[in-house]
Structure formats: structure tokens, C-alpha cells
Amino acid sequence: MKTVSRRQTLWLGGSAAVLVAGGVGGRLLLRKRYAPTPYDDLIALAHDRDAAAQIGETVLAEVDDFEPIAMAVRLRARIAGRPLATALTDDVAKGHLVEGGGWVLPEMLGLICALAAKAAG
Amino acid sequence: MGAFIDARTVPSGTVVHADLAIVGGGPAGISLALALANTKLKVVLLESGGMAFDAKTQSLYDGSKVGAPYVTLEASRLRYLGGSSNHWGGWCRPLDAVDFEERAWMPYSGWPITKADLDRHFVKAHELCEAGTLYYDGAAKITGSIGQPLALGTGGLMTRWFQFSKMRSSVLPTHFGERYASDLKKVSRLAVYLWANVTRLGLNPSGTYVRQLDVATLDGKKFKVRAKACVLAAGGIEVARLLLASNDVIKTGAGNSHDMVGRFFADHPVPRDNAVLVLFGGEPAPFYLGNQTTHGAILRAGLFPSEHFRREHEVMASSITVEGKVELDALGKAAVATTANALGVDASSASFHSLGCGMEITPDPDRRLTLTNERDALGMPKLKLHMRLADQDFAKYRLTLKELGRQLLESRIGMLKLNLRTRDEWYASLDWGNHHMGTTRMSVDPKKGVVDANLKVHGVANLYVAGSSVFPTYGAANPTVNLLALVLRLADHLKEELP
Ligand SMILES: Cc1cc2nc3c(=O)[nH]c(=O)nc-3n(C[C@H](O)[C@H](O)[C@H](O)COP(=O)(O)OP(=O)(O)OC[C@H]3O[C@@H](n4cnc5c(N)ncnc54)[C@H](O)[C@@H]3O)c2cc1C
């Protein structure tokens, strides 16, 4: 049986450590990079961009004539600088809702998710 | 001492005389007989079955159906003393005042009586169901130690309550036959005939009066009952069959000069797993998930559209119940995490439950029962149910669910997923309340209904109907306690009418 020298062990150990570090760093490095969009400020309101894009796909299936740039302008005006939670509950109080895959969502949140889906291409 | 008589021992050709004949010994017939106990009236109650299930008797209920999915006619009811209460669920809830109103958005709506006409009978009706004190909308006051209703804030849906017939080991819940047999036996001027099938209402030549009831047993005995008045209490399907099949004088059937008998059949569709309820803060109070006993009452909470919401959005009544736990798929997990985060709430201990519902449907004259050429063992024509469901009824219920979703979001306590959209999806989820209603609907106008406000069949002087077949619209309340209130009102009327 081939024996493993102390030097090899150290090397292997070191490389394992490198690999582990590479795992974490790799995730950062390999993280999906999105091309910048003119509505990144809105997408940033969603806590997980990939999750938002997943919901957004289902919202896009429900809404007609979704033009991202114009939508972003309208959404900024509707949010009007308020905290997102406040803007959403006010919106929902007025009955502004959208469905995505059956989920009843605050309309503005659904539309932000739709922007994330558009950005994800 | 009242008597229980085995009709198979009555010699053929016998004529039994009475002041009142009640056809059917289910909750309606039994309660009517008991309500008349302290009168001088000689009452005969004719019950098709015996004290327990019998397959040959049950098969007299066989029939066919076409159209939208529905339970088979023989499976959705039971034919022996106690009727379908031998397998009912015991859910009770009075109809709302709005259910009695004529509403522009609901075709054929409007009862000829109001809720107020029935109110004084609900305590006794509840007592007959052994359902304890009436709490219903006041139940939140006695359930505080169990939990709190969902803080839904303002909006279309609110927590309301069902109460239940008393559960006990041998009779789960009140089986009217088993429970009240001994009380019936104590009624001195009452004779209960078991195994006695009424096969025909014998009308006078002008069709305006029932002269006699033809009774047959499965072993071939035939006798007649002559009574001053008759009450049909054979259940929401069979009453229509008896009227339609008694067609030797009026060709369309007894009391059916205007072709209304058998039309407007209704039940409560129960679409299972029609939505997912997410509560960000964890589990709902236990009274949403199952029955809770407190203050001598058995209670369960549901979510109901308010009267205001029903009027404003022209939706039907519905009663939403919280059912078993469900798991979310990846999209569901993303939706919950994203929404909770955006609303600024913690959803780390969120709960996920399936929703069920009892739905009201729009009255439809073409959802109906008709006779076929097939005959049962006693020679009576069998029934065919023409079942139809309007897509709009599901769409309106979906609108109600969506409002619940809106309220959950606005109050930041949760969110909702709607599971069903297409007709096929609704149909695949359908279960039924087995609440047979509408086939002899109440109306002051003989052209629009079969019975009048006193439950008397239009055009037939001494014939009445007791049961949910007289409901012109259906609400989302379970029918039995409501039909019993009507029965008690009928008893008061008969006490005045019959000498
Ligand atoms: C599975 C199931 C669950 C239910 N759960 C609930 C619930 O939770 N809450 C609720 O409010 N309701 C419930 N219901 C409905 C409830 O059972 C009925 O509302 C109730 O039984 C109706 O009472 P009834 O006396 O009008 O008719 P029935 O109970 O149908 O009784 C009719 C009686 O007439 C007899 N009969 C029939 N034809 C003839 C004839 N030709 N001659 C002589 N006798 C005849 C039958 O044998 C029977 O005994 C349920 C029904 C089913 C099937």
C-alpha cells in the first residue's frame, strides 16, 4: 500500500483548507452577476434577488404590457420615498394586489419581483 | 302510550285514519311529531326504514345523475328512522338575515319570510340537535382562554362560529332516530309505522286535496292512510320524487301545475384544499383547526364574508375552514420569505394550512330532478339529477378568498395562495355537504315556488313540506338547525289550522 508522507499530508490538509475557503469564496465569486439595470434601486428592495425573480416570472404571466423602465418610474412614484413596508400596506389597503402562481401579493411587491425577473433575463 | 308499529304486520287493505300524517322519520319528521306531542291531534308517522340500515330499503333511494360531478343519490342520504342524521356531521349554524332577502345580484333570491320569523325557534331547534346554548357570533367572549381570533383588521372577512351537536360514544352526533325513539313512544296520540313506504299521494279529482296516502312494504303489504293533513318530511330529494310520481290526477305531479317541483336542486360544494393560509406568527388558535368544548358548547371558528362585503361585491355566502398542515414548494417558500421581509415581519415560525370551504351556489331552475322510466322495487319511478354548476359561483368564491389574502397582508399577519382557477381544478377538488335543498322552494307566487310561506303546497289544501327542500336560497349555513326552526314554526301553524 502506498504510504502518505507527512509532507503530503500537510499539503493535502492545506489544499483541503484552500478548497473549503474556495467553496465560500467561490460562491461569492461564482454568484450570478446581473447586468446593471436602470431599476436596480427597486430590485434591491427585495431581500433575495433570485427568489424575487422566481416570483416575478409568475407575476409576468399575469400582467399584460409590462414595460420595465416605465414600470420602474411608476413604482418609484408610488413608493414616494416611504419605507417599503408602509408603502405596501397602504397599497394593499386600497386593494392593489397581484397574483403570482396563485400567491396573493401586494401589487407593488409583485411588480418589483417582475422587474427582478426581467433583469434576470 | 305511543306505538311503534311494524308496517309489515298491517294487513293489506287496511285504512289508517289520523288528523295528521307525517311522511318520513328523519330530523324533520321526528321533530314535528314531538312538537305536536301535547296536542289532541292523532298523528301517524310513516317511516320507510326500520331502526337500522337495511340494504334493500336503502336501494329504494337509487337514482342516476348527469352533468357536473356529484355524489350518487343513494350514497348521500340514509333511509331508516333518523334519516341522514344517522351519518351527519353535527355542524350547526343559523342562516343570516341577509340570506332571506331578495338581492338584485342573486337571481331567484328572496324568501317569503324573514330571519325574524324563525328567530324564536332556534333555541328549541338547537336543543333538538343537542347543541347547547346558542353562542355563535358571541363565542369569542367564551373562547378567550383557548386562543384569540385572527387579527384580520377591517375588511370583508371575519371570524364566525359553528356549533356542534353533542358528541357521545354511541350516538355521534345526535342520531335523531336512536336519540328520540323513546320520546316518540311516550307521545300518546302518535303511531310510528316503521318499514312503511309512501308510494303515492292520492289526490281528489281536481288535484286540490290529498285524500289518502298509499303505503307499501317491501314484503308486499299495501295499505292506506287517510289524514286531514299530510306533511312530507322525506328529505330534500325524496319529497320532490313523491310529488312528481303522484301524477295520476295532475299529469305533471301533485302540486306541480307550474312545473316547479324538482327544479332548483342545490347543495353546498365543499372544494377541498382550495387555498393555502400562511400565518407569519405561527399556528392559528386551536378553535380554527378543530372542535373545542367550552361552557357546555362545542365550537369551531371559520372565516365568513361579512354582509357588507357580500352586498358590495355581490358574492355568495361561504364559510372557510382551516384544515391540515401543508408543505410549501420552492415558489411558496420564496413568496413567503420575500413578502414577510418586504412587510418587515419575521416569518421564521410561519405556519401553513390548507383551507376548505362550504360554498353557496346560485339558484338554477335547470339544476333539477326528473323522473325516469326506471322503477324501484315498489314500482316507483326513479329519479335523475341534472347537475350543473356555474363557473361564476367559483369565481365569486375566489374573489372572497382574495379579499382574505388582502386582509392578511394589510394586517401583516400572513398571506394566502389560491390553489384553484379552472373549472377542471375546482371539479377535481369537489366534495359536498350533502345538504339537499331547493326542490320544493318557498314562494308566495305559485309560479315561482312549490310551497307558500306556511310551507303548504300551492294549490293543494292539506299538503305541507318540512325540510330543506323549501329553502329558496341556501346561505353557507348547515341546513339542519334551520330546517328544524322551520319545522317548529310549521308545528305552531298546524296547531292553529287543524281542529
Ligand atoms: C354525510 C352527511 C353529512 C351531513 N352533515 C351535516 C351537518 O354537519 N350539518 C347539517 O346541518 N346537516 C348535515 N347533513 C344534512 C342532514 O343530514 C339533513 O339536513 C337532515 O338529515 C335532513 O333531515 P330530514 O328529516 O329533512 O330528511 P332525512 O334525514 O333525509 O330523512 C328523511 C326520512 O324520510 C324517510 N323516507 C324517505 N322516503 C320515504 C317514503 N317514500 N316513505 C316513508 N319514509 C320515507 C327516510 O327513510 C328518512 O328517514 C349531512 C348529510 C349527510 C348525508
Side-chain angles (χ1 to χ4, degrees), chain A residues 45-48 51-52 54-55 58 62 84-85 88-89 92-95 97 99-106 109 113, chain B residues 276 278 328-332 334-339 341-344 398 402 405-407 409-410 412 415-418 421:
Chain A
L45 294 172
H47 89 125
D48 177 336
Q54 190 182 0
I55 301 159
T58 64
E62 301 283 334
L84 182 63
L88 292 183
T89 43
V92 166
K94 291 184 194 132
L97 301 167
E99 272 182 53
W103 288 96
V104 180
L105 303 165
L109 180 63
C113 291
Chain B
V276 176
V278 176
L328 297 188
D329 60 11
L331 176 67
V336 172
T338 302
T339 307
N341 191 271
L343 291 172
R398 203 171 190 278
K402 201 162 174 175
R406 192 199 67 72
Q407 282 173 271
L409 291 168
E410 188 187 350
R412 303 200 303 161
M415 60 192 297
L416 200 81
K417 176 178 181 263
L418 308 176
R421 187 191 286 251

Side-chain angles (χ1 to χ4, degrees), chain B residues 443-459:
Chain B
S443 171
V444 283
D445 183 349
K447 294 196 184 86
K448 294 184 178 160
V450 176
V451 299
D452 66 15
N454 289 319
L455 308 186
K456 192 189 75 61
V457 174
H458 285 294

Side-chain angles (χ1 to χ4, degrees), chain B residues 308-484:
Chain B
H308 177 77
F309 183 78
R310 282 168 66 183
R311 289 187 197 283
E312 191 181 0
H313 295 274
E314 305 189 344
V315 298
M316 324 292 287
S318 51
S319 57
I320 299 169
T321 50
V322 184
E323 306 292 340
K325 286 189 183 212
V326 288
E327 302 250 319
L328 297 188
D329 60 11
L331 176 67
K333 286 177 187 153
V336 172
T338 302
T339 307
N341 191 271
L343 291 172
V345 292
D346 173 19
S348 55
S349 54
S351 69
F352 317 112
H353 288 271
S354 165
L355 294 185
C357 173
M359 276 173 65
E360 182 178 29
I361 54 179
T362 308
D364 177 355
D366 294 322
R367 192 169 51 234
R368 65 184 298 200
L369 297 164
T370 56
L371 296 181
T372 66
N373 293 327
E374 259 195 278
R375 307 241 159 204
D376 70 13
L378 296 171
M380 273 191 81
K382 292 187 180 179
L383 286 173
K384 179 188 270 188
L385 170 64
H386 304 256
M387 194 60 187
R388 291 159 36 114
L389 288 168
D391 289 344
Q392 204 196 345
D393 289 346
F394 295 116
K396 286 188 172 182
Y397 171 57
R398 203 171 190 278
L399 192 77
T400 303
L401 276 175
K402 201 162 174 175
E403 168 63 6
L404 175 60
R406 192 199 67 72
Q407 282 173 271
L408 290 162
L409 291 168
E410 188 187 350
S411 51
R412 303 200 303 161
I413 61 166
M415 60 192 297
L416 200 81
K417 176 178 181 263
L418 308 176
N419 286 343
L420 310 173
R421 187 191 286 251
T422 64
R423 178 193 291 213
D424 286 347
E425 286 169 354
W426 286 105
Y427 278 12
S429 78
L430 276 194
D431 212 336
W432 292 91
N434 296 292
H435 305 153
H436 310 132
M437 299 172 283
T439 55
T440 61
R441 67 203 314 263
M442 220 194 284
S443 171
V444 283
D445 183 349
K447 294 196 184 86
K448 294 184 178 160
V450 176
V451 299
D452 66 15
N454 289 319
L455 308 186
K456 192 189 75 61
V457 174
H458 285 294
V460 188
N462 64 341
L463 183 61
Y464 295 83
V465 176
S468 47
S469 60
V470 304
F471 292 11
T473 52
Y474 327 111
N478 310 80
T480 308
V481 78
N482 294 285
L483 74 85
L484 292 181

Side-chain angles (χ1 to χ4, degrees), chain A residues 7-57:
Chain A
R7 187 182 152 79
Q8 278 173 315
T9 313
L10 280 175
W11 187 86
L12 281 171
S15 99
V18 169
L19 281 174
V20 170
V24 175
R27 243 183 276 135
L28 292 172
L29 288 172
L30 295 173
R31 191 156 123 180
K32 208 166 164 186
R33 288 187 178 273
Y34 296 98
T37 70
Y39 37 85
D40 280 350
D41 56 326
L42 290 167
I43 297 173
L45 294 172
H47 89 125
D48 177 336
R49 188 175 172 140
D50 289 337
Q54 190 182 0
I55 301 159
E57 285 298 339

